């Protein structure tokens, strides 16, 4: 067999970690038929260039450079689908995951004919070693919430370190959401009840170089993953995210209005106008970060995006009022007419900004 094990490593600004990581992997995996596929989202620090250089002299190293796309889960899936090896392992590039258990993981998969082996921080001798107390707390809360929804009692469903049979992944491929950061969780939720898995303990190390990409955006994506599992067939999760942020805009609007008008700083009309602009701007910034984190607009793209967002939302407000007025004229009761008008405006804003503001292949990323 040419290649038995492919290690898929998503990277974003991990330049200083690549050489030490490859060294450790080579040390641990000598005698085995393995390769590594890095999936890099066009890192500004040019991680991809360094990997390409190494790949010139090392056929066991490959690099997929993705442009105009972003996201940990989708990067992993692209790496997995780029190999024909029967076993695939996913790990971080930053040496946080203990590569010395990789041979053990493969052995367990083969000998016990499992579908999945998870590197776990929460069984036996495993540990969160290098993680800050704050991170451990977030991880535990996320683990608890997922536990409520998972049919498999996995101790560490948030792990980013695991190995599986490629054939198993291909069976569940259609069911995956491929959104956000938590690909293992996505796989577990999408797996049949008969999934054969085992958790192997490991202690997480501290990141060697660079910074963690886990932020509030990742936490938001965690909830979107569940929303997608629950309503994904009927409602696009981006629309859910857009609507929740829209509701936050109502609060922003009312706060500004209160601040300016109620405190007597200005008259009603200027207060209302400023409140509208502030709410639209905060909606734009939040959507850019959370709803479209994978297509985030920056630099001039951010400014053009803001202008197109203002334009789309102004028309949306017009449609909202016109539609609600028409319904009200048809003798529809006031709250229903108001609600339907607002929803029509929201759908308009969502659809138009999805096409014009956050285009699929956008410029000005990263
Ligand atoms: N291609 C690509 N695109 N790679 C990414 C992206 C992205 O948008 N975001 C992050 N990465 C890469 C990083 O370069 C790193 O190699 C790996 O994905 C994980 O990102 P980290 O920033 O190191 O995340 P973490 O250490 O905070 O969290 C990790 O450990 C947790 C606990 O095991 C992740 O593996 C989590 O998924 C995991 O829950
Ligand atoms: Mn990491």
């Amino acid at each position: 067999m040419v290649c038995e094990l492919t290690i898929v490593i998503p990277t974003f600004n991990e330049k200083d970690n690549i050489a030490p990581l490859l060294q450790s992997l080579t040390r641990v995996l000598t005698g085995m038929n393995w390769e590594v596929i890095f999936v890099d989202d066009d890192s500004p620090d040019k991680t991809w260039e360094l990997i390409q250089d190494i790949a010139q002299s090392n056929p066991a190293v490959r690099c997929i450079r993705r442009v105009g796309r972003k996201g940990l889960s989708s990067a992993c899936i692209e790496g997995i689908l780029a190999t024909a090896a029967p076993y695939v392992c996913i790990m971080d590039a930053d040496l946080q995951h203990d590569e010395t258990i990789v041979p053990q993981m493969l052995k367990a998969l083969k000998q016990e004919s499992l579908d999945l082996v998870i590197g776990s921080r929460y069984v036996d001798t495993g540990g969160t070693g290098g993680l800050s107390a704050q991170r451990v707390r977030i991880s535990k809360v996320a683990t608890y919430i997922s536990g409520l929804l998972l049919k498999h009692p996995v101790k560490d469903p948030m792990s980013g370190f695991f190995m599986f049979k490629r054939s198993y992944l291909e069976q569940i491929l259609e069911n995956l959401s491929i959104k956000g950061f938590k690909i293992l969780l996505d796989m577990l939720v999408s797996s049949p009840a008969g999934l054969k898995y085992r958790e192997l303990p490991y202690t997480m190390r501290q990141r060697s170089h660079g910074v963690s990409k886990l932020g509030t955006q990742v936490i938001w994506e965690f909830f979107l993953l569940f929303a997608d599992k629950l309503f994904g067939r009927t409602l696009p999760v981006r629309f859910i995210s857009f609507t929740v942020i829209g509701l936050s805009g109502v609060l922003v609007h009312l706060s500004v209005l209160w601040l300016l008008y109620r405190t007597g700083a200005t008259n009603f009309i200027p207060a209302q106008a400023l409140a509208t602009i502030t709410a639209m701007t905060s909606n734009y910034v939040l959507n850019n970060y959370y709803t479209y984190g994978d297509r985030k607009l920056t630099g001039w793209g951010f400014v053009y995006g803001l202008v197109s967002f203002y334009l789309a939302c102004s028309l949306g407000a017009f449609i909202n009022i016109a539609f609600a007025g028409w319904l009200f004229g048809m003798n529809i009761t006031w709250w229903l007419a108001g609600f339907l008008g607002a929803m029509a405006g929201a759908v308009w804003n969502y659809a138009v900004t999805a096409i014009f503001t956050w285009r699929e292949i956008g410029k000005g990323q990263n």
Side-chain angles (χ1 to χ4, degrees), residues 14 92-97 135 204 207 211-213:
E14 301 285 4
D92 281 12
D94 54 13
L95 299 157
Q96 282 193 290
H97 295 152
R135 269 294 301 268
M204 202 164 178
R207 188 173 243 286
V211 290
S212 166
K213 279 93 209 170

Side-chain angles (χ1 to χ4, degrees), residues 292-303:
Y292 291 101
D294 56 340
R295 303 182 196 166
K296 208 176 291 163
L297 297 166
T298 54
W300 280 110
F302 181 87
V303 178

Side-chain angles (χ1 to χ4, degrees), residues 23 26 45 73 112 124 128 153 173 180 187 222 229 237 282 290 312 325 360:
Q23 239 166 35
T26 311
D45 79 350
S73 291
E112 302 168 34
D124 308 331
T128 47
L173 191 58
M187 286 166 59
F222 170 78
K229 291 294 175 205
V237 273
S282 93
Y290 293 106
E360 189 129 24

Side-chain angles (χ1 to χ4, degrees), residues 10-12 14 39-41 70-72 75 92-94 96-97 121 135 158-160 181-182 202 204 207 211-214:
T11 56
F12 192 74
E14 301 285 4
V39 188
D40 187 85
D41 283 351
K70 203 150 188 302
L72 183 52
D92 281 12
D94 54 13
Q96 282 193 290
H97 295 152
R121 296 164 291 179
R135 269 294 301 268
M158 300 297 137
S159 177
F181 220 65
K182 300 300 170 193
Y202 85 97
M204 202 164 178
R207 188 173 243 286
V211 290
S212 166
K213 279 93 209 170
L214 190 133

Side-chain angles (χ1 to χ4, degrees), residues 328-346:
F328 190 70
M330 305 287 282
N331 275 334
I332 305 270
T333 179
W334 63 270
W335 59 266
L336 188 58
F339 175 75
L340 292 175
M343 282 319 283

